[in-house]
Amino acid sequence: MDDQHTPAIFVADAPGLDFLNSVATPVDVPVDWIGDGEGLLSWLEQAGLLPATAVAIVRDRATPGELDVVAAQARHLREWFRGFVDERRGRPLTADDLAHLKPLNRLLERDESFNQIVARDHDGHVHLELQASRHWRGPESLLQPIGTALARLVCEEDFTHIKACEGHSCTLMFADRTRRRSRRWCSMAVCGNRAKQAAHRSRLRL
């Protein structure tokens, strides 16, 4: 399967969890959407974390192999944060968890974000708004929007409602925003349907 041209999966209802879901097995073959530098650029753009203008800037400034190095750093960050979430999902975070977030805080320290006043058109009326932006000085800056998404997950999401899909061999996680917190599957159309079919086959065998 060509990771570069397979649309990434965004079912988590939280960008930080979508980042963890950037490696998955949507059918039978594992797909890593950030397996190399170009994959990382594509995934960030699909996730809405990287403007198209920034893609061109970073690609132009990268030396051969530099994007692949940053993609490897992103994969390392992903697996470290997966461990953090796996150990804590299902319960609220506490102050004691802060000590385990030092790698993320070190990444956030390197951010070069800033605010700008921009004009926005809303139904024909132009308003001035404050917009967050970022300097894209090189490939390593690609890690910053990821770091921000992870930090927002930690600070804004109730970890009690973070779940892992119950589908057989599915590795996807999501934030359960249903009214009764009854969501079980990454997608009813995929894992939910497979579970129904498996249950149906099991009943036929009885």
Side-chain angles (χ1 to χ4, degrees), residues 52-111:
T53 52
V55 173
I57 291 171
V58 173
R59 186 181 282 121
D60 183 61
R61 292 179 178 177
T63 59
E66 207 172 4
L67 283 172
D68 290 343
V69 170
V70 175
Q73 293 172 352
R75 293 193 300 273
H76 179 77
L77 175 65
R78 181 180 63 193
E79 296 318 305
W80 165 77
F81 194 68
R82 186 189 308 282
F84 178 87
V85 174
D86 267 337
E87 289 179 13
R88 293 161 180 82
R89 60 183 172 86
R91 71 160 175 84
L93 295 182
T94 69
D96 292 336
D97 295 309
L98 181 58
H100 300 277
L101 290 167
K102 288 181 180 178
L104 182 53
N105 272 334
R106 285 197 296 268
L107 172 61
L108 295 172
E109 284 175 5
R110 304 200 300 267
D111 200 355

Side-chain angles (χ1 to χ4, degrees), residues 5-191:
H5 297 96
T6 304
I9 294 173
F10 297 98
V11 296
D13 285 330
L17 294 177
D18 280 324
F19 175 61
L20 297 187
N21 294 343
S22 62
V23 60
T25 308
V27 185
D28 298 313
V29 181
V31 178
D32 192 339
W33 282 275
I34 60 173
D36 59 21
E38 284 299 321
L40 177 62
L41 285 175
S42 176
W43 185 87
L44 285 167
E45 192 170 10
Q46 289 180 67
L49 298 178
L50 187 69
T53 52
V55 173
I57 291 171
V58 173
R59 186 181 282 121
D60 183 61
R61 292 179 178 177
T63 59
E66 207 172 4
L67 283 172
D68 290 343
V69 170
V70 175
Q73 293 172 352
R75 293 193 300 273
H76 179 77
L77 175 65
R78 181 180 63 193
E79 296 318 305
W80 165 77
F81 194 68
R82 186 189 308 282
F84 178 87
V85 174
D86 267 337
E87 289 179 13
R88 293 161 180 82
R89 60 183 172 86
R91 71 160 175 84
L93 295 182
T94 69
D96 292 336
D97 295 309
L98 181 58
H100 300 277
L101 290 167
K102 288 181 180 178
L104 182 53
N105 272 334
R106 285 197 296 268
L107 172 61
L108 295 172
E109 284 175 5
R110 304 200 300 267
D111 200 355
E112 292 191 78
S113 59
F114 59 94
N115 291 315
Q116 282 190 319
I117 300 169
V118 298
R120 287 277 175 81
D121 188 321
H122 296 282
D123 299 323
H125 299 283
V126 176
H127 300 277
L128 298 183
E129 295 182 359
L130 197 62
Q131 174 181 281
S133 192
R134 176 177 279 111
H135 291 296
W136 304 99
R137 301 195 188 280
E140 281 209 352
S141 61
L142 296 176
L143 298 176
Q144 294 307 325
I146 295 173
T148 299
L150 302 186
R152 285 179 175 155
L153 182 75
V154 167
C155 297
E156 299 173 6
E157 196 67 51
D158 186 344
F159 267 47
T160 304
H161 303 147
I162 293 178
K163 297 180 179 180
C165 178
E166 295 181 20
H168 177 66
S169 75
C170 185
T171 60
L172 299 181
M173 285 192 274
F174 54 85
D176 186 354
R177 304 197 188 285
T178 60
R179 181 176 298 178
R180 297 184 179 180
R181 308 299 177 190
S182 58
R183 183 176 171 185
R184 299 174 60 194
W185 320 107
C186 61
S187 166
M188 277 304 300
V190 182
C191 286

